[in-house]
Amino acid sequence: MKKLVLILFVFGSASAFGQAEKKISDTIFMIHDAPIISSKSRPLYIIDERLSKVQPQFKPADICDVKVLKPFDAFKLYGKDANDGAIILITKKFAIKRYQEKFSGLSIEYKSCLNSQKNNDDNFLYVVNGAPIQGESKIKELYNLEVEKIKELKFLKGEPSINGVIQLIIIVTNN
């Protein structure tokens, strides 16, 4: 009798463990009124502030910033189109255009010089709160500056030098 109970226990345990081998990727999770999340998810893409369901194709060198929103957070911001989460992508070209528009609205001299340079600000040195903004982070830092927090923007026309004319843009923000 003890052997029979032991055999039944072993087979019962084996079948219970066999059922536990379900893949997590096949599971669907539901959190309150949040959208359904599954392995077949298609996130919403926000590319340069425009909504898209199509996965974008960019070279990494063209990307300024990427943010990934989990489904619940994306759903709160973008509604049912973002049931599967969202990927927010900002290209360098878009970021440059946006910060140049912001600064042009704050300084006529900046706008005039930028127009004369055909919107090429490679010879502009941006200084924010006393620190020069250069290198890989320049575009992202300038793009992320909020106009409401800019206390002052000074444009200083540069003198010709070996590297061409360097324009100096001094930005002071409210900390």
Side-chain angles (χ1 to χ4, degrees):
M1 182 68 170
K2 287 183 181 180
K3 287 184 181 182
L4 181 61
V5 171
L6 181 61
I7 291 172
L8 289 175
F9 176 75
V10 170
F11 282 118
S13 299
S15 66
F17 286 118
Q19 290 175 359
E21 291 182 19
K22 186 176 179 182
K23 293 181 184 177
I24 291 177
S25 64
D26 296 336
T27 305
I28 295 175
F29 299 93
M30 180 73 122
I31 304 171
H32 300 288
D33 293 328
I36 295 174
I37 305 167
S38 74
S39 62
K40 296 172 181 75
S41 297
R42 297 266 188 254
L44 176 68
Y45 294 94
I46 297 92
I47 305 161
D48 294 339
E49 298 178 2
R50 291 187 168 177
L51 303 179
S52 173
K53 275 292 211 182
V54 179
Q55 185 173 1
Q57 300 292 320
F58 289 100
K59 295 177 187 171
D62 295 338
I63 297 172
C64 174
D65 193 23
V66 175
K67 292 179 185 152
V68 177
L69 297 179
K70 294 182 180 183
F72 186 73
D73 296 328
F75 181 77
K76 287 191 298 185
L77 289 172
Y78 299 104
K80 67 179 182 172
D81 287 340
N83 277 350
D84 298 329
I87 298 173
I88 302 169
L89 189 133
I90 302 294
T91 62
K92 287 181 180 177
K93 184 177 178 180
F94 179 82
I96 291 168
K97 181 180 175 186
R98 277 293 194 251
Y99 78 69
Q100 288 178 348
E101 288 172 355
K102 284 191 266 189
F103 301 160
S104 291
L106 298 172
S107 170
I108 295 169
E109 295 88 4
Y110 174 86
K111 183 177 182 177
S112 176
C113 186
L114 189 62
N115 287 339
S116 72
Q117 300 292 319
K118 298 180 182 171
N119 295 330
N120 182 347
D121 67 351
D122 289 344
N123 286 332
F124 288 32
L125 175 59
Y126 294 91
V127 177
V128 179
N129 296 327
I133 306 297
Q134 298 173 317
E136 286 296 314
S137 65
K138 171 187 163 185
I139 297 168
K140 185 175 179 179
E141 286 184 52
L142 295 174
Y143 171 76
N144 286 327
L145 279 176
E146 297 174 32
V147 175
E148 302 81 33
K149 292 187 178 181
I150 296 176
K151 188 171 159 181
E152 181 178 23
L153 185 141
K154 287 183 185 176
F155 176 81
L156 302 173
K157 186 134 177 86
E159 298 295 324
S161 69
I162 297 171
N163 298 326
V165 178
I166 303 294
Q167 313 303 335
L168 182 62
I169 295 81
I170 300 173
I171 301 169
V172 179
T173 63
N174 300 323
N175 295 337

